[in-house]
């Protein structure tokens, strides 16, 4: 069952790419690199790595997605790795245990729940493309510890307007 939680601003480092559903690895495969860059600076992640969806064009199979790793304090970016902040605010959250392919159903149910509750997303739509203020998938399971994706735990956090 979805919940509404208030989150403060959260700092992170990340990378951004324009991808398709079949080229997700372009951004996803960089999470290990981001964690490695933090380790090289003696900085531990301050939470689960995540994907942040900036824009979603499902009919056109085009997404602008960030891979990010939270940090406790603001940092400087370098090369194509940038430092940024997730906005504070109220977020609808829900957890999923299982393969990430199951997230489609979880997201659909969450969107329908929010509509029934009369909630408004921090999102605009233009020419069929959704532009999100902050839409996150947080990956709580370390794939090096648990390689079976059917045992992964993922949190969704979508910011409300």
């Amino acid at each position: 069952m979805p919940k509404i939680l208030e989150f403060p601003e959260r700092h992170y480092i990340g990378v951004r790419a324009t991808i398709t559903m079949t080229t997700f690895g372009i951004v996803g495969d960089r999470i290990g690199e981001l964690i490695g860059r933090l380790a090289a600076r003696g900085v531990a992640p301050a939470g689960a790595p995540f994907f942040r969806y900036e824009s979603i064009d499902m009919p056109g199979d085009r997404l602008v997605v960030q891979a990010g790793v939270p940090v406790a304090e603001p940092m400087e970016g370098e090369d194509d790795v940038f430092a940024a902040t997730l906005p504070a605010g109220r977020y609808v959250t829900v957890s999923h245990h299982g393969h990430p392919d199951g997230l489609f159903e979880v997201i659909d149910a969450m969107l329908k729940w929010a509509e029934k509750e009369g909630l408004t997303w921090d999102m605009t739509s233009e020419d069929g493309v959704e532009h999100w203020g902050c839409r996150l998938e947080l990956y709580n399971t370390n794939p090096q510890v648990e390689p079976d994706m059917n045992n992964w735990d993922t949190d969704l956090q979508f910011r409300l307007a």
Side-chain angles (χ1 to χ4, degrees), residues 6-73:
E6 186 86 25
F7 288 105
E9 286 187 338
R10 295 170 279 173
H11 305 289
Y12 69 100
I13 63 167
V15 293
R16 175 184 294 108
T18 301
I19 59 170
T20 68
M21 292 302 290
T22 57
T23 61
F24 222 95
I26 291 170
V27 69
D29 291 346
R30 298 209 47 205
I31 289 174
E33 173 193 342
L34 294 172
I35 293 169
R37 284 181 183 237
L38 291 177
R41 294 182 180 184
V43 175
F50 59 83
F51 293 126
R52 180 178 182 179
Y53 294 81
E54 291 183 23
S55 66
I56 302 172
D57 176 4
M58 289 308 281
D61 193 22
R62 184 175 184 273
L63 303 96
V64 178
V65 180
Q66 299 176 19
V69 177
V71 292
E73 300 294 327

Side-chain angles (χ1 to χ4, degrees), residues 28 40 44 59 79-80 90 99 112 137 144-145 157:
D79 305 320
D80 68 336
R90 294 177 35 218
H99 197 286
K112 287 177 180 171
E137 289 177 6
Q144 294 176 331
V145 174
Q157 298 176 357

Side-chain angles (χ1 to χ4, degrees), residues 1-158:
M1 181 64 135
K3 296 182 260 186
I4 298 174
L5 298 176
E6 186 86 25
F7 288 105
E9 286 187 338
R10 295 170 279 173
H11 305 289
Y12 69 100
I13 63 167
V15 293
R16 175 184 294 108
T18 301
I19 59 170
T20 68
M21 292 302 290
T22 57
T23 61
F24 222 95
I26 291 170
V27 69
D29 291 346
R30 298 209 47 205
I31 289 174
E33 173 193 342
L34 294 172
I35 293 169
R37 284 181 183 237
L38 291 177
R41 294 182 180 184
V43 175
F50 59 83
F51 293 126
R52 180 178 182 179
Y53 294 81
E54 291 183 23
S55 66
I56 302 172
D57 176 4
M58 289 308 281
D61 193 22
R62 184 175 184 273
L63 303 96
V64 178
V65 180
Q66 299 176 19
V69 177
V71 292
E73 300 294 327
M75 297 183 69
E76 294 292 321
E78 64 179 327
D79 305 320
D80 68 336
V81 175
F82 59 85
T85 304
L86 299 173
R90 294 177 35 218
Y91 288 75
V92 173
T93 70
V94 68
S95 297
H96 169 67
H97 178 79
H99 197 286
D101 286 348
L103 288 170
F104 292 107
E105 292 176 15
V106 175
I107 292 168
D108 185 56
M110 186 171 88
L111 293 173
K112 287 177 180 171
W113 174 85
E115 183 178 351
K116 182 179 157 208
E117 295 293 315
L119 301 173
T120 303
W121 300 112
D122 179 13
M123 185 268 294
T124 59
S125 184
E126 185 178 329
D127 297 326
V129 180
E130 297 175 351
H131 300 277
W132 288 82
C134 197
R135 176 177 169 159
L136 305 172
E137 289 177 6
L138 294 89
Y139 287 85
N140 299 311
T141 305
N142 182 338
Q144 294 176 331
V145 174
E146 178 52 76
D148 184 352
M149 295 172 83
N150 293 304
N151 292 323
W152 285 11
D153 290 307
T154 308
D155 290 335
L156 301 173
Q157 298 176 357
F158 293 14

